[in-house]
Amino acid sequence: MSRNFHNLPDLCVRKLFDYLPLNDLVNIHHFRKEWINIQEAACRHRTSLTLMLGPSPPSLINYPFTIPYQNDLFHDECENLNEEESTFNSNLKRIDFTGGLARLNFERLSRSNVTFLLEYFPSIKNLEIHRIDMLSTSEYDQLIRILKQWSPQLISLTITSVHIDPRYISINFANLLRMINATRWPMLKRISLPFNHSHESLNSQLSLELDILTKVEHFELNVEQGKVTIYFALKKFSEKNQLTKLRSIAVDLGNLEEKNDLWRFYLQLEPEILQKFTCFRGMPSLDLLETRQFYSHFVSLKQLELNLCGQHMFTELVDCLEPLNQLTYFKLNAAKLEMNMNQTNVKSIRSVQIFSLTLSSPFHRNKLLDSFPLAEIFPNVRVFEFINQRLDCHDCPNYPFESEQQYDQCIRQQISIAISNWLANCKRLYRIYTPILEYDCDHHRSQWSIEDFK
């Protein structure tokens, strides 16, 4: 086999090199020196690059605004989906969280490494740079060198950080944002950026200048430390009619404390601007009255993570969601919620395909979960996630747990009645997740098939 491969014409070897991961392609000449010219040609042909920075890189990449369990929506993509379901998935795509063929691990972003990248990969159009807060101050200059060199040709740019202690962050995120704002980006359509406050200004509110909003079609901003507002940037550019190119906005604005009411500013923007938001995170726990006011304006949201408090009728919550006819992922934190499960004339939200419910119950049985009318509200749900913030089951004979099997049995008992009630009408439901939380016993089964409950 090896001898036959070595005897292949250069054109065939070159084509095979297109299917090599970059981590292998950049080292392939070590196996046979005669391949160095073919290697260079293959590198020059690549248009996508995913840089994973720092030591001991993780096997999977964290994309801040990817819908959780999004790939589960494609498990039956070979089946015939009805028109409604096809419409829901038309704007989603399968994500390769490994980085795929475009991934290249660099422990350090040294000058020599960057020179190699710029010389060997002149055709990059889609660039991802992950874990930039692992960079030293000198490496930050090399990051700027990469962005400036490829800015005329980039179509998509994704930058992420890893949420390390802000006291140890060398990179200045404000300087990076200023550079991005000042750069022309003639071809850029999509940009995803992180932002971290310095340790000294962690508790202060920062209003960001975002000239980049006028240059792209899709904008994402993930604030991992502190809190910021982009309201004034949106207001300035909308008044000048400079956001006509912008089609979608996804933001996590950090911890918008309830007493500051920072989120209320956004309700003053023009409706056509609010309709560009596909994800808005960072709001505090709200009363349903405030929630209804907020989400009646943000009607294009595809992701919603809602923290509610107080006591409410369940139908009131559904009324809040009714305008969100593009909503695909809904996460409800009901740990502090007392809800009257009156199911008379419950409306359905047919677009939701992934539903996550967080409770805080020390018992196997929970009335809210057992009586939750999932099939009536979300008839097209495919994935259900259950999170119990308390697992000190007072009615469990096995507590405290001595084995992973006892833990699994307890979790299964918590959700079994609810799942069995949903099976008849949730025809698409096939996967259940019970994420691992930090308990004394932190190992248990986190993924279940619907077959486990039949």
Side-chain angles (χ1 to χ4, degrees):
M1 179 74 72
S2 176
R3 182 176 300 176
N4 292 336
F5 183 82
H6 283 273
N7 291 333
L8 286 174
D10 286 355
L11 185 61
C12 295
V13 175
R14 160 71 181 78
K15 191 64 177 176
L16 290 172
F17 280 7
D18 286 342
Y19 297 94
L20 283 178
L22 281 186
N23 280 323
D24 296 329
L25 179 59
V26 297
N27 293 301
I28 197 69
H29 63 283
H30 295 305
F31 295 93
R32 190 175 183 186
K33 292 183 179 180
E34 290 83 355
W35 284 344
I36 190 167
N37 291 332
I38 307 175
Q39 176 200 37
E40 291 182 8
C43 289
R44 291 177 179 277
H45 188 256
R46 294 293 181 98
T47 59
S48 297
L49 174 61
T50 299
L51 278 180
M52 183 64 74
L53 304 177
S56 304
S59 58
L60 300 180
I61 298 172
N62 177 33
Y63 294 100
F65 293 100
T66 298
I67 294 176
Y69 315 120
Q70 178 171 310
N71 286 349
D72 283 328
L73 302 184
F74 301 93
H75 81 283
D76 56 356
E77 57 190 353
C78 294
E79 296 181 3
N80 293 322
L81 301 180
N82 61 41
E83 183 177 352
E84 182 181 47
E85 291 165 330
S86 299
T87 301
F88 293 156
N89 288 344
S90 60
N91 294 320
L92 298 177
K93 63 180 180 179
R94 187 184 292 275
I95 304 294
D96 187 347
F97 292 97
T98 68
L101 301 182
R103 176 167 174 160
L104 186 59
N105 297 334
F106 271 1
E107 182 172 346
R108 298 262 62 94
L109 202 58
S110 64
R111 184 176 183 84
S112 59
N113 282 340
V114 171
T115 298
F116 166 77
L117 289 176
L118 298 179
E119 290 181 357
Y120 271 68
F121 299 95
S123 304
I124 297 300
K125 296 180 179 179
N126 303 293
L127 177 62
E128 296 182 13
I129 306 177
H130 298 283
R131 310 196 336 151
I132 64 164
D133 40 355
M134 306 292 287
L135 297 177
S136 65
T137 304
S138 61
E139 290 174 303
Y140 169 75
D141 294 335
Q142 298 305 314
L143 170 65
I144 298 302
R145 183 183 168 201
I146 290 176
L147 296 178
K148 287 185 175 180
Q149 179 73 25
W150 284 336
S151 63
Q153 65 202 50
L154 286 181
I155 296 175
S156 173
L157 173 62
T158 298
I159 301 176
T160 69
S161 56
V162 294
H163 202 163
I164 63 175
D165 191 318
R167 290 173 295 182
Y168 303 107
I169 296 176
S170 298
I171 188 169
N172 188 312
F173 285 84
N175 287 343
L176 175 62
L177 186 58
R178 277 191 286 269
M179 175 268 165
I180 288 174
N181 282 331
T183 303
R184 187 164 166 264
W185 309 106
M187 305 296 291
L188 195 64
K189 293 184 177 181
R190 179 182 298 274
I191 190 166
S192 182
L193 300 172
F195 193 90
N196 279 340
H197 272 290
S198 66
H199 182 63
E200 292 77 16
S201 60
L202 193 57
N203 294 319
S204 61
Q205 174 194 345
L206 183 64
S207 178
L208 296 184
E209 292 290 334
L210 290 172
D211 292 12
I212 188 65
L213 286 170
T214 66
K215 306 173 186 179
V216 296
E217 296 179 10
H218 306 280
F219 173 77
E220 295 180 351
L221 178 68
N222 182 43
V223 178
E224 296 187 343
Q225 301 278 5
K227 52 182 178 286
V228 307
T229 179
I230 65 171
Y231 163 76
F232 298 103
L234 288 171
K235 181 176 175 59
K236 179 177 71 173
F237 294 124
S238 63
E239 289 177 347
K240 295 180 180 179
N241 198 29
Q242 294 179 321
L243 297 179
T244 55
K245 185 178 180 180
L246 186 65
R247 294 173 55 189
S248 72
I249 306 170
V251 291
D252 187 332
L253 298 180
N255 179 24
L256 305 188
E257 297 179 8
E258 189 169 7
K259 63 182 180 181
N260 290 322
D261 286 339
L262 300 181
W263 62 273
R264 296 182 188 275
F265 281 102
Y266 296 90
L267 302 182
Q268 303 174 30
L269 294 170
E270 294 297 323
E272 56 266 26
I273 301 300
L274 299 182
Q275 291 171 13
K276 297 177 186 289
F277 280 82
T278 59
C279 181
F280 189 111
R281 298 180 189 153
M283 291 175 60
S285 297
L286 299 178
D287 185 271
L288 274 175
L289 182 62
E290 296 174 311
T291 303
R292 180 181 290 108
Q293 178 190 18
F294 187 84
Y295 292 112
S296 63
H297 292 77
F298 290 78
V299 296
S300 298
L301 291 179
K302 294 179 173 61
Q303 303 180 47
L304 173 56
E305 298 181 6
L306 189 57
N307 299 315
L308 290 178
C309 56
Q311 184 174 6
H312 301 281
M313 297 286 289
F314 183 73
T315 50
E316 291 179 310
L317 172 61
V318 179
D319 287 341
C320 292
L321 302 182
E322 188 178 18
L324 308 181
N325 56 17
Q326 299 182 49
L327 188 64
T328 301
Y329 169 76
F330 176 42
K331 181 174 183 178
L332 174 62
N333 186 342
K336 298 180 180 180
L337 183 66
E338 298 179 21
M339 190 170 286
N340 186 330
M341 299 300 290
N342 186 344
Q343 299 182 28
T344 305
N345 298 322
V346 174
K347 300 175 182 177
S348 63
I349 312 296
R350 304 187 65 83
S351 59
V352 170
Q353 298 187 68
I354 304 172
F355 175 60
S356 174
L357 180 63
T358 299
L359 300 175
S360 180
S361 172
F363 303 105
H364 276 148
R365 298 273 56 85
N366 184 281
K367 292 181 180 180
L368 177 59
L369 177 62
D370 290 347
S371 59
F372 197 93
L374 185 73
E376 289 77 11
I377 309 168
F378 308 127
N380 290 315
V381 71
R382 297 188 179 195
V383 179
F384 171 64
E385 178 185 58
F386 174 68
I387 301 172
N388 189 354
Q389 293 183 341
R390 292 184 62 182
L391 201 55
D392 48 350
C393 286
H394 296 172
D395 57 350
C396 182
N398 295 323
Y399 185 81
F401 308 113
E402 296 180 354
S403 68
E404 182 176 337
Q405 289 74 22
Q406 290 180 351
Y407 213 150
D408 293 347
Q409 183 181 11
C410 179
I411 291 176
R412 190 183 188 284
Q413 289 181 5
Q414 290 184 64
I415 60 178
S416 59
I417 292 181
I419 298 297
S420 62
N421 291 338
W422 301 336
L423 286 179
N425 297 312
C426 290
K427 303 297 184 181
R428 308 297 291 180
L429 181 63
Y430 95 106
R431 183 78 75 206
I432 297 97
Y433 287 95
T434 52
I436 296 175
L437 303 178
E438 295 182 359
Y439 298 118
D440 292 338
C441 175
D442 59 359
H443 297 288
H444 66 79
R445 185 172 178 179
S446 60
Q447 180 174 308
W448 309 74
S449 169
I450 198 64
E451 300 298 326
D452 296 321
F453 299 90
K454 290 183 178 180

